[in-house]
Amino acid sequence: MTDAQRDFFESRIRPVLIERCHECHSAAADKLEADFRLDTRDGIRKGGVSGRDAVIPGDPAGSQLMTAIRHSDPDLKMPPKGRLPDSVIADFEAWIAMGAPDPRDEAPLLARDRAAATHWAFQPVSRPESPSVKADEWPRDRIDHFILAELEKAGLSPVADADRRTLLRRASLELTGLPPQPEEIRAFLADPAPDREAFAKVVDRLLDSPRFGERWGRHWLDVARYGESSSYSRNMLYPHAWRYRNWVIDAYNRDLSYDRFIQEQLAGDLLPAASPEERDRQIIGTGFLTIGPKTLDEDDITLFQLNIADDMIDATSRAFLALTANCARCHDHKYDPFPTRDYYALAGIFLSSRHLAGTETNTRIEHAAAHPLGPEGEKTLSRIAEATRLADEAQKTYLEIVKKRNAIRDPMEKAGIDWRKNPTPELTAAETEVQRHQSLVREAQAAIPASPDFAMAMAEGRVMTDEEWKSAVEANKKDRKVALPARIADAPFYAQGLPNQPLDSVPRGVPGLFAAQLEAPAIASGESGRLQLARWLTDPRHPLTARVYVNRVWHHLFGAGLVPTVDNFGLLGETPSHPALLDDLARRFTSDEMQWSTKRLIRTLLLSRAWMLDSTADPARHAVDPANRLLWRFSPQPVEAEALRDSLLFVGGQLDLSPLEGSQVADVAKTQPNAQGREIGRRDFYLKDIRPDVTYRSVYLPAARGAVFDAMTLFDTPDPNLVSGARQAGVVPAQSLFLMNGPLALAAAAGVAARLPVDADIPIRIADLFERLYGRSPRPEEMAAVRDFLGSETADDAVWARAAHTLMMAGEFRTIY
């Protein structure tokens, strides 16, 4: 750039931009119009949401800015309030013609970027010191120091500790989704150890129970938007989805470290495995990415693929980062520093992978296939294909032999000759050939190997030259049966997110939001980038990954997260009530103390004094902190849908605790051999086949989208189309009607009545009833009320069942105190 060119820009161009354009198109703008910045060199050249280059150095005719300032396009006039003088327009034309020299090297930050630069969630995780407190005898863990310090600042103190009965019921429901049994209550009450030591043994027992994975796996399935069908207008079954469900349950039970938990879900197929079994397990973990909803009726292949990538970007960013990255599909994120180019950098990663969902689609891509399992899964499929081809050829030859035989036999029948009694040597020879080839067909069909097991999963795309890719696209267009392969390649930048407006390609990569803290991983030309993304997310220095997960766990144990917006840590999310505590826990979680262990984290939280507080509501404390954000007591929590149903079955002695291998969805899918027919609702398919009266745990219930059982939807199970880290608790009349009149609660009540001690006195039976349902003894007024309800010392089982049913409908049964 010459001095003359610099002077021309500074005297003729920059003043006009500042005076006439910066109000709407600069970092100083309250709202950046059309995502178009004119206060930076890169911004003025790149353009805005239209995707066209606003300024092309040396090419005024091709520069959209000239079209705008000339007002030659009625839909594109800048400035909108009046055309610039002709002399100024001529200056801009001359400036672009000379190469658009622009000395502005540093771009001022947009308002959103300035806010993001200081946003708490985007800062490195701090190393806070444990705060000093006045009541220094109260804390039992570092957690308690942070909580008590904030309470003392507010002039508050915590309530008393919860008693053993309350703690046991609370922990049992939180960790296993089931109430404690009477013998467990008696054992805990009889333990002579100090309360915290005795309770630690209870916590360890519950964490070691297989029931733990079933309860906490369900929490993650909410986040993973788990569903067993595709949703939307063509709702097709996912017959292999259950394997991912069981993978999650198993991961929680064996305490798979959270960093590994993330890596296996994003790139398990790319991780080394010590055995075929471990390889399969890791592959199943990648079901996280492809388990989401899909627009299977979409005929536009590009749009279909972009929709799949969008779902994966949304699931990945919300689940692990609590950020809404998919908002940047059409334009730079309005609030968080997530530009559209970063969106398509991620899209390239997922578009470079095969999405093996195992269901039919209108589009012709490698999607209908599922991932074969077993040590020789791929080889078995090849052998099946070859054996099937041979069987088809044998069948074809057999039909030709039958045709030749019939050519001999049919004229004899027309001539009135009984060929059965008077066969000719030629016919006899032909019949022999027919029988021989019939046997060959049976042998060929019997030689087809058994199909391997399958899973929904991800796999790397193919490395293809441009010519190979063009050939594949043409073959796909000509024949619907020829699948379009997934190709490892960078994704184009799609203007306004439109599939028919691809611009330049964006290199595959991770978001640049944390470039100052984390190095961007290099992605080789033959790799999708999923493994690099997974490792970037699990770098202990990442400012969001551990914070987000620790907050999710806290939310489930305390009823609300330290950050209430558990799925949004961006600028629109809420700030943490105890930021130092959140950072302290995040750092402990990834350190040698916990080593990313979910069970160690949960154990630490449960043994804190804060979690062991009573839930008593105190008017004076409530007046200062009505939402209990400062944690002066344990906040009562509603029992979630799955735990409520399971508890009803459990107390009634009807719950089958056997883990379920498979799913009703998979079973129903087998009844429809034609995959095209596995559409929910078509001729009542699936809806007439599923059974709500099963007695296994609710986590194993069929979860086809749009067809979830009332026992779940009435009690606020989340929409399986969405990432849901927190359920919205609602109270509606239909819930009471379901518990009052539904066969589930009525059968459970009868089961409870049948389990009460037969020969015991009335007070003992009433005490046993309360212990089974509430985990406590009845108060004197409750004992009297139930005796009045029974009406007779000889009340029969039906009356006792009504008493049990009444207690089940009370709020206490459906609340964790």
Side-chain angles (χ1 to χ4, degrees):
M1 181 189 315
T2 66
D3 289 344
Q5 289 175 329
R6 182 188 299 272
D7 291 343
F8 188 91
F9 175 82
E10 295 292 357
S11 62
R12 305 278 189 94
I13 304 301
R14 190 199 288 261
V16 177
L17 293 175
I18 293 173
E19 181 181 350
R20 302 298 300 272
C21 307
H22 280 196
E23 181 180 359
C24 300
H25 297 283
S26 73
D30 293 333
K31 178 185 178 184
L32 185 65
E33 294 294 336
D35 282 329
F36 183 24
R37 292 187 64 174
L38 289 169
D39 60 340
T40 73
R41 181 174 59 206
D42 290 341
I44 200 170
R45 293 184 180 182
K46 182 181 72 172
V49 294
S50 70
R52 289 180 55 190
D53 293 332
V55 169
I56 303 174
D59 184 8
S63 298
Q64 192 181 31
L65 181 65
M66 294 307 302
T67 302
I69 64 177
R70 286 174 176 146
H71 287 203
S72 55
D73 183 342
D75 296 324
L76 183 63
K77 294 182 178 182
M78 290 176 53
K81 296 180 181 179
R83 189 174 181 271
L84 296 172
D86 289 342
S87 60
V88 174
I89 294 173
D91 286 341
F92 272 88
E93 184 173 5
W95 172 65
I96 295 174
M98 70 175 69
D102 189 337
R104 298 175 297 176
D105 290 327
E106 294 187 6
L109 293 176
L110 291 170
R112 69 159 181 247
D113 295 325
R114 291 196 298 271
T118 58
H119 184 55
W120 68 269
F122 303 156
Q123 309 309 309
V125 177
S126 64
R127 296 178 180 273
E129 294 292 330
S130 180
S132 59
V133 293
K134 296 175 184 177
D136 57 4
E137 79 289 345
W138 187 82
R140 293 172 179 160
D141 184 89
R142 287 175 60 88
I143 294 169
D144 300 321
H145 280 272
F146 288 101
I147 289 174
L148 185 58
E150 295 301 315
L151 285 170
E152 289 180 346
K153 286 180 186 177
L156 297 175
S157 61
V159 299
D161 297 339
D163 60 35
R164 287 197 177 192
R165 286 181 178 274
T166 300
L167 283 177
L168 180 59
R169 183 175 184 270
R170 182 187 298 173
S172 296
L173 285 168
E174 293 276 30
L175 298 188
T176 70
L178 299 171
Q181 299 204 67
E183 57 269 24
E184 294 171 339
I185 298 173
R186 290 191 288 270
F188 183 38
L189 294 177
D191 191 330
D195 284 350
R196 190 167 186 262
E197 182 181 329
F199 185 56
K201 289 184 271 187
V202 168
V203 172
D204 291 338
R205 173 177 60 80
L206 295 173
L207 288 173
D208 287 341
S209 167
R211 313 286 83 79
F212 170 76
E214 291 166 339
R215 181 73 202 109
W216 278 74
R218 182 60 254 184
H219 291 325
W220 184 257
L221 292 175
D222 285 1
V223 174
R225 80 266 185 251
Y226 174 75
E228 292 186 85
S229 68
S230 62
S231 191
Y232 302 135
S233 56
R234 192 160 182 252
N235 196 3
M236 305 294 290
L237 295 183
Y238 288 166
H240 310 298
W242 66 270
R243 292 189 188 277
Y244 174 74
R245 175 202 69 200
N246 284 16
W247 179 90
V248 171
I249 293 170
D250 177 67
Y252 273 93
N253 274 334
R254 59 191 174 96
D255 199 19
L256 182 66
S257 65
Y258 184 62
D259 56 342
R260 184 73 179 193
F261 185 70
I262 293 174
Q263 291 170 6
E264 291 192 14
Q265 290 183 89
L266 296 182
D269 57 309
L270 304 176
L271 296 171
S275 66
E277 292 75 20
E278 185 178 36
R279 169 189 167 274
D280 282 353
R281 188 168 61 209
Q282 292 171 183
I283 286 171
I284 292 170
T286 64
F288 167 82
L289 288 173
T290 195
I291 206 85
K294 294 176 177 62
T295 53
L296 294 182
D297 59 341
E298 179 57 65
D299 282 319
D300 185 322
I301 294 179
T302 301
L303 181 56
F304 178 73
Q305 291 176 316
L306 288 174
N307 288 343
I308 288 181
D310 184 74
D311 170 69
M312 294 180 181
I313 291 170
D314 183 49
T316 300
S317 63
R318 287 182 194 262
F320 305 123
L321 300 177
L323 293 178
T324 55
N326 67 324
C327 291
R329 179 175 181 176
C330 306
H331 50 73
D332 289 349
H333 200 293
K334 294 296 185 184
Y335 304 102
D336 295 335
F338 206 100
T340 305
R341 293 190 72 84
D342 280 3
Y343 174 92
Y344 285 105
L346 284 175
I349 290 176
F350 296 121
L351 291 171
S352 294
S353 302
R354 298 168 64 200
H355 318 135
L356 305 175
T359 192
E360 279 296 322
T361 169
N362 281 6
T363 59
R364 294 158 285 173
I365 64 170
E366 289 179 328
H367 181 80
H371 203 299
L373 301 175
E376 294 191 332
E378 295 283 359
K379 292 181 180 178
T380 300
L381 289 184
S382 297
R383 288 195 286 266
I384 290 173
E386 177 61 17
T388 301
R389 184 186 67 79
L390 294 174
D392 290 344
E393 288 183 358
Q395 178 71 13
K396 182 179 179 181
T397 302
Y398 166 72
L399 293 176
E400 290 173 354
I401 297 297
V402 169
K403 186 176 180 180
K404 291 178 180 179
R405 188 271 317 270
N406 291 346
I408 300 171
R409 194 174 65 182
D410 291 351
M412 296 177 67
E413 287 185 341
K414 289 181 180 179
I417 301 172
D418 189 343
W419 54 266
R420 296 178 182 83
K421 294 180 179 179
N422 302 291
T424 65
E426 183 183 15
L427 180 58
T428 300
E431 285 289 356
T432 301
E433 276 296 285
V434 167
Q435 296 300 320
R436 186 173 74 86
H437 280 275
Q438 197 172 45
S439 297
L440 291 175
V441 170
R442 286 195 293 265
E443 291 172 7
Q445 291 174 340
I448 299 176
S451 176
D453 291 329
F454 291 94
M456 297 183 75
M458 299 290 285
E460 288 289 79
R462 304 180 190 179
V463 177
M464 305 176 72
T465 65
D466 290 343
E467 288 303 316
E468 289 172 332
W469 176 246
K470 290 178 182 177
S471 176
V473 171
E474 288 303 315
N476 174 263
K477 288 180 179 178
K478 291 178 181 178
D479 186 352
R480 177 174 284 271
K481 295 180 181 179
V482 178
L484 183 67
R487 182 195 187 192
I488 295 179
D490 295 332
F493 184 111
Y494 287 93
Q496 301 180 54
L498 300 174
N500 61 348
Q501 293 193 31
L503 303 176
D504 60 306
S505 294
V506 181
R508 301 189 300 285
V510 300
L513 173 59
F514 306 117
Q517 303 171 42
L518 300 171
E519 304 81 12
I523 300 174
S525 60
E527 299 176 294
S528 67
R530 283 185 292 117
L531 182 57
Q532 289 84 349
L533 173 62
R535 288 174 173 163
W536 178 80
L537 283 169
T538 53
D539 188 317
R541 297 172 297 164
H542 202 294
L544 282 178
T545 307
R547 277 175 173 147
V548 168
Y549 188 66
V550 163
N551 191 63
R552 291 193 187 283
V553 173
W554 186 282
H555 162 82
H556 290 302
L557 294 177
F558 284 88
L562 293 169
V563 181
T565 51
V566 295
D567 294 325
N568 192 346
F569 273 40
L571 272 72
L572 290 185
E574 295 188 42
T575 57
S577 58
H578 299 73
L581 171 57
L582 179 61
D583 276 14
D584 191 62
L585 280 173
R587 191 165 288 281
R588 292 172 70 183
F589 181 58
T590 60
S591 71
D592 290 341
E593 178 186 352
M594 296 187 189
Q595 299 177 346
W596 300 84
S597 164
T598 297
K599 287 188 176 181
R600 291 185 195 179
L601 173 61
I602 290 174
R603 189 181 193 275
T604 299
L605 296 180
L606 261 64
L607 293 179
S608 69
R609 192 151 191 185
W611 194 84
M612 296 173 68
L613 289 175
D614 195 55
S615 60
T616 302
D618 174 70
R621 294 178 175 90
H622 183 271
V624 177
D625 181 24
N628 194 31
R629 289 276 278 156
L630 298 178
L631 301 166
W632 50 269
R633 67 164 178 154
F634 179 86
S635 293
Q637 305 167 29
V639 175
E640 291 182 348
E642 294 84 358
L644 177 59
R645 175 185 173 275
D646 292 351
S647 294
L648 288 169
L649 292 170
F650 187 67
V651 296
Q654 299 146 347
L655 183 63
D656 180 358
L657 290 173
S658 304
L660 184 66
E661 286 291 316
S663 167
Q664 282 197 51
V665 168
D667 294 340
V668 172
K670 292 174 185 175
T671 67
Q672 177 53 266
N674 179 11
Q676 286 280 357
R678 295 174 182 168
E679 182 176 352
I680 295 176
R682 178 182 287 185
R683 300 185 184 89
D684 281 337
F685 173 69
Y686 180 78
L687 299 176
K688 63 178 173 41
D689 300 307
I690 54 172
R691 296 177 294 109
D693 58 345
V694 293
T695 57
Y696 44 69
R697 293 211 67 175
S698 299
V699 70
Y700 300 117
L701 288 176
R705 293 179 169 96
V708 180
F709 291 147
D710 288 347
M712 300 294 101
T713 56
L714 281 176
F715 294 94
D716 306 306
T717 191
D719 183 347
N721 290 323
L722 306 174
V723 172
S724 302
R727 297 188 178 188
Q728 301 300 315
V731 179
V732 295
Q735 295 171 343
S736 297
L737 294 173
F738 180 87
L739 292 174
M740 188 188 313
N741 304 316
L744 175 64
L746 292 172
V752 171
R755 302 179 79 192
L756 299 176
V758 177
D759 298 324
D761 294 337
I762 294 292
I764 294 177
R765 300 192 87 196
I766 294 175
D768 189 79
L769 180 61
F770 269 76
E771 195 161 67
R772 290 180 184 277
L773 298 182
Y774 298 162
R776 64 173 177 84
S777 300
R779 303 181 186 95
E781 63 273 18
E782 292 170 331
M783 176 69 77
V786 175
R787 294 197 70 154
D788 288 345
F789 182 89
L790 295 172
S792 169
E793 295 292 326
T794 59
D796 59 18
D797 284 348
V799 177
W800 279 100
R802 288 199 294 275
H805 190 207
T806 301
L807 294 179
M808 284 176 177
M809 289 189 292
E812 185 169 351
F813 184 74
R814 294 182 282 133
T815 307
I816 300 174
Y817 289 102

